[in-house]
Amino acid sequence: MASLDSPITIVRPHLIEFGIGTAGKLGTWAAGKGYRRTLVISDAFNASRIDVLELKGEVTVFSEVTPEPDTANLDKVLAAANAAEAELIVGFGGGSAMDLAKLAAVLAGSAQTLPEVVGPNKVHGPRKVALAQVPTTSGTGSEAGIRALVTDPQTMAKLAVESLHMLADIAVIDPALTFSVPARTTAATGVDAMAHCVEAFTNRKAHPMVDIYAIEGTRLVGKYLARAVKDGNDAEARAGLSLASLYGGFCLGPVNTAGGHALAYPLGTRWHVAHGAANALIFPHVLAFNTPSAPEKTTAVMQALGRQTSGNTASVFDAAYAFCAELGIEMKLSALGVPESDLDAMADDAFAIRRLLDNNPRDLTRADIRSIYAAAF
C-alpha cells in the first residue's frame, strides 16, 4: 500500500453543490454560463421530474437509459446528442445515466469512436460541450469521477473509459432526489457506495490522502443506511448516504475498486443483476478473503460499520454478511436466477478483469473466484 511520500493525483468536479433543495441551482448555473441548448440524459422516471433542475432555454430529454447500459444504448444516446446540438449535457439519474452522459460529452460530434477510447487517457480533448451530473441515487459516486462503463453485448464484458475530459463541470447533489428510491434499491446502492470506499481503503494502491474519504464514507453508511431503508424520508440519513456516495466517487479516481467489483461485474453483464445488489452479495465474501492481507484495515472497516469481530476470516464474514442481510438484501446467487452451470463462465469473466484484480490486497486466483461464487450460490 502507498505511503505519504507516494505520488497521487486527485481530481474533483469544478463545482459541487450539495444539500437538500439544491437541484434548482443547476438551472441558475447554466443560465449564468449562457447555455441555450441542453440535453438531459435520464431514465423514464427521472425524465418526468426534470423541472426540479430549473433549466432554461431549449431542453431535449433522452429518457431511454437502461440499467447496466450496453453499446446499443450508448448509440441511441449519441444519436440524440448529435441531433440536439447541445451546449450542455446533463446526466440525471443513477450511475447508468451519468456514465452515458460522460461518454456523450466526449464522443458526440467527435471523430473518435467508443473502441478508440476504451482504456485510460485515450480521449482527445478539449471537450466541446459542458457536462453536469445530478445523481438521484446514493451509490455509484459517478458524479465525481472520470470513468464510464458500458457493456459489450457480444462479449458481455464491461468496457471502461477513463479520461480527465469526462470530469463534470458541476455536480449537484440534492439528497431530496433520493427520497423516492425504494427500500431495496436504497439498501443495495448504499452497500455499493460502501464497497467503493472499502475496496479503496484496503487496496494495494491505497493512499492516506484517499483513506480519509474511504473510512468516513464507510462510517456514514454504517450510521445512516439502515435508517434510510427504514424511512426513505429521513432527510439526515439520505444526506449522509449522498455524502458517502460522493466520497466513494472521490476514491475511484486515484485508487479505484478491486476484487469485489471484479466478481460483481459478471452478475450484471451476464444476468442483469443490478450493480448495487451484485456488489452487496459479493461484499462479505471478498472482504473476508482479503482479511489476512489487510487485518488492521479490515478491523477499522468493521468498526466503522458498527460491527465488532474477533478479526479472523470467519467472524469478518459473519458480521459483513449480517450487515447486508439485515438490510433485506438477497445474499444468494441462486435466488437471483443465476444458474450453477454458469459459475465457471462467470469465474473466467471475473478473472479477466485485471484492471481491478491487480488492485486487490490478496491475489485472487481463478479457483478462488470460483470458490467464492460457489459459496455465494
Side-chain angles (χ1 to χ4, degrees), residues 4-30:
L4 273 173
D5 58 358
S6 300
I8 190 169
T9 300
I10 304 290
V11 295
R12 301 282 182 272
H14 299 296
L15 177 63
I16 297 175
E17 297 282 3
F18 182 96
I20 300 287
T22 57
K25 290 191 174 185
L26 178 60
T28 302
W29 174 85

Side-chain angles (χ1 to χ4, degrees), residues 33-196:
K33 294 289 187 179
Y35 299 132
R36 297 162 297 172
R37 295 187 304 278
T38 301
L39 172 66
V40 178
I41 297 172
S42 187
D43 57 89
F45 170 72
N46 285 302
S48 70
R49 55 174 181 168
I50 63 166
D51 287 350
V52 300
L53 304 178
E54 299 181 16
L55 293 164
K56 307 295 191 296
E58 183 180 337
V59 180
T60 302
V61 181
F62 177 90
S63 60
E64 300 175 42
V65 171
T66 59
E68 303 291 323
D70 61 12
T71 53
N73 202 198
L74 174 61
D75 288 341
K76 290 183 178 180
V77 168
L78 294 178
N82 287 325
E85 296 183 339
E87 298 166 312
L88 169 65
I89 291 177
V90 179
F92 183 44
S96 297
M98 291 188 285
D99 278 10
L100 289 175
K102 290 176 188 175
L103 292 169
V106 297
L107 292 177
S110 168
Q112 288 188 285
T113 62
L114 177 64
E116 293 172 330
V117 299
V118 171
N121 308 315
K122 294 182 179 179
V123 174
H124 297 162
R127 193 172 66 216
K128 297 177 182 179
V129 299
L131 176 63
Q133 301 283 27
V134 185
T136 61
T137 63
S138 298
T140 68
S142 184
E143 68 274 10
I146 59 172
R147 290 187 178 90
L149 301 170
V150 289
T151 299
D152 181 338
Q154 300 301 317
T155 64
M156 290 187 286
K158 292 276 190 180
L159 304 177
V161 180
E162 177 184 341
S163 173
L164 286 171
H165 297 300
M166 296 195 301
L167 187 66
D169 296 293
I170 181 173
V172 181
I173 301 144
D174 185 345
L177 296 172
T178 70
F179 286 3
S180 59
V181 177
R184 186 177 297 275
T185 306
T186 296
T189 54
V191 175
D192 184 30
M194 181 263 291
H196 293 159

